[in-house]
């Protein structure tokens, strides 16, 4: 039994070693890709119901490695966060998203907004606000056309710091959305204290909207909560017509998901907007 135990420890640490080496290799590759300007953004439309009008698009980061495979952001963003790389990368994301929005505006769609994901690690960096101001100033984008998507993890920087930061952001006219709402632990308890404009219902709730009645009740609850707090509410990850119909029944006015559009390259997004006008 004793030797078996030791064997297990050796196997265990052995596999950690492999995993760590893999992560270091991936991070190294990511740094190289970022430095070589190989990362890019795609944009997923957000629709206002019942008009089906695109009012905003969410910028999503993409990395295609040298083998031509897409590495999912859920894999590489946490690595970038741990290594601090998310700070320069986040500045680049913000600038690129704003530059893309400028192109969208110049293509004849001056009311479209852009939503940019920002991680807590990035936001707690001391230069965050000044970088934000600089990016807005240099692109000439009106702050009211920018939304930042944050998650409840932001509370790791402490509630007082969070409130100060969020109020600073809001005072510029930038709007704030809580992403993946319902997956964190603090959501319902503190949501009324946060200076936010929009709640994004996590796709895990939408996924089981058809088959699990309790999920539908939760979505219903979130929609009434948002209504009570005078917040906008957006359902993400909407993939099927029945999910869509159910959401409309429940009174959800903003929808994002593969059913309406996948994330698109900038040119495709502009083509889609042009088609919308032509219809
Ligand atoms: P998120 O912010 O919750 O983004 C929504 C994710 O859902 C995106 O995955 C999007 O492609 C996907 N999605 C959209 N519609 C549907 C649908 O109908 N069904 C399903 N199953 N999925 C849908 P993506 O692009 O792989 O991003 C994953 C996560 O990586 C994001 O989740 C976000 O947390 C993070 N991420 C992506 N881009 C950035 C970025 O620029 N900065 C930061 N900090 N994080 C990012
Ligand atoms: Ca998001
Ligand atoms: Ca989300
Ligand atoms: Ca997420």
């Amino acid at each position: 039994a004793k030797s078996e135990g030791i064997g297990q420890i050796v196997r265990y640490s052995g596999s950690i070693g492999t995993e760590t080496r893999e992560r270091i290799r991936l991070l190294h590759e990511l740094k190289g890709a970022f430095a070589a300007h190989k990362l890019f953004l795609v944009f997923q439309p957000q629709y206002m119901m019942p008009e089906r009008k695109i009012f905003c698009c969410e910028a999503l980061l993409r990395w295609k490695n040298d083998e031509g495979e897409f590495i999912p952001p859920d894999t590489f963003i946490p690595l970038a966060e741990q290594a601090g790389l998310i700070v320069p990368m986040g500045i680049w994301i913000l600038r690129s998203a704003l530059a893309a929005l400028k192109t969208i505006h110049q293509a004849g769609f001056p009311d479209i907004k852009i939503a940019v994901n920002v991680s807590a690690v990035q936001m707690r960096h001391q230069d965050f606000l000044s970088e934000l101001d600089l990016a807005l100033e240099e692109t000439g984008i009106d702050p009211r056309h920018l939304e930042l998507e944050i998650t409840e993890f932001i509370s790791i920087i402490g509630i007082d710091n969070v409130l100060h930061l969020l109020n600073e952001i809001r005072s510029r006219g930038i709007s704030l959305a809580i992403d993946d709402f319902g997956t964190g632990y603090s959501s319902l308890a503190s949501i009324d204290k946060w200076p936010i404009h929009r709640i994004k219902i996590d796709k895990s709730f939408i996924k089981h909207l058809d088959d699990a009645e309790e999920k539908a009740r939760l979505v219903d609850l979130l929609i009434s909560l948002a209504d009570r707090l005078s917040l906008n509410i957006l359902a993400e990850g909407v993939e099927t017509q029945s999910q869509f119909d159910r959401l409309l029944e429940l009174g959800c006015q903003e929808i994002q998901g593969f059913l309406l559009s996948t994330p698109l390259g900038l040119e495709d997004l502009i083509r889609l907007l042009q088609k919308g006008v032509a219809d």
Side-chain angles (χ1 to χ4, degrees):
K2 204 173 184 181
S3 63
E4 207 177 278
I6 290 166
Q8 264 163 5
I9 290 166
V10 170
R11 263 200 306 280
Y12 186 56
S13 59
S15 83
I16 292 256
T18 315
E19 201 183 294
T20 307
R21 269 197 303 280
E22 171 60 18
R23 289 160 59 86
I24 291 169
R25 191 192 59 73
L26 203 61
L27 178 62
H28 181 73
E29 232 186 286
L30 176 62
K31 281 182 178 160
F34 177 56
H37 308 288
K38 285 182 177 168
L39 301 183
F40 62 99
L41 296 178
V42 289
F43 306 91
Q44 188 177 31
Q46 299 178 343
Y47 292 77
M48 185 95 75
M49 292 302 145
E51 313 89 308
R52 276 186 188 250
K53 191 176 159 39
I54 298 173
F55 69 100
C56 184
C57 42
E58 178 179 1
L60 293 160
L61 190 58
R62 292 292 177 265
W63 172 25
K64 195 178 181 180
N65 71 10
D66 291 337
E67 283 74 55
E69 310 154 329
F70 280 104
I71 315 288
D74 282 332
T75 304
F76 71 81
I77 299 260
L79 279 182
E81 287 176 339
Q82 282 154 26
L85 180 63
I86 195 69
V87 174
M89 201 180 261
I91 296 168
W92 174 83
I93 292 167
L94 191 62
R95 285 169 176 264
S96 308
L98 293 174
L101 186 65
K102 199 170 180 178
T103 305
I104 294 168
H105 286 177
Q106 286 168 346
F109 306 97
D111 300 327
I112 303 289
K113 295 176 60 175
I114 195 136
V116 179
N117 293 286
V118 286
S119 88
V121 180
Q122 184 189 351
M123 283 181 90
R124 76 176 167 192
H125 192 272
Q126 55 180 9
D127 295 338
F128 179 73
L129 286 172
S130 52
E131 288 293 347
L132 187 60
D133 289 337
L134 201 61
L136 285 163
E137 202 181 297
E138 287 185 359
T139 50
I141 293 289
D142 182 336
R144 281 169 298 193
H145 284 125
L146 174 63
E147 176 155 295
L148 299 182
E149 295 193 1
I150 62 175
T151 67
E152 296 158 77
F153 286 117
I154 187 72
S155 44
I156 61 162
I157 73 173
I159 190 69
D160 292 342
N161 294 333
V162 175
L163 287 179
H164 174 73
L165 187 60
L166 300 187
N167 282 321
E168 280 290 324
I169 292 169
R170 192 184 162 123
S171 72
R172 286 157 168 76
I174 298 167
S175 53
L176 286 160
I178 302 251
D179 206 354
D180 305 340
F181 190 74
T183 58
Y185 46 88
S186 62
S187 5
L188 294 164
S190 59
I191 193 71
D192 60 321
K193 297 190 189 68
W194 293 41
I196 55 162
H197 302 79
R198 175 171 283 100
I199 289 173
K200 295 189 75 178
I201 311 176
D202 190 64
K203 51 179 177 287
S204 59
F205 292 94
I206 309 304
K207 198 171 173 188
H208 299 290
L209 204 52
D210 304 328
D211 48 63
E213 195 46 42
E214 74 271 21
K215 290 283 176 185
R217 279 201 298 274
L218 266 171
V219 171
D220 194 13
L221 185 71
L222 291 180
I223 293 171
S224 344
L225 176 76
D227 194 43
R228 242 2 123 76
L229 299 172
S230 303
L231 298 173
N232 295 328
I233 188 145
L234 182 145
E236 69 176 356
V238 179
E239 293 181 353
T240 68
Q241 188 62 46
S242 62
Q243 290 166 352
F244 179 87
D245 293 342
R246 192 69 199 268
L247 284 163
L248 290 200
E249 239 173 64
L250 293 171
C252 188
Q253 281 166 353
E254 298 174 355
I255 308 262
Q256 178 180 2
F258 295 164
L259 178 71
L260 296 175
S261 175
T262 57
L264 302 170
L266 184 56
E267 287 180 11
D268 287 338
L269 174 72
I270 290 173
R271 262 196 290 277
L272 181 69
L273 288 165
Q274 286 164 342
K275 222 175 82 197
V277 170
D279 283 351

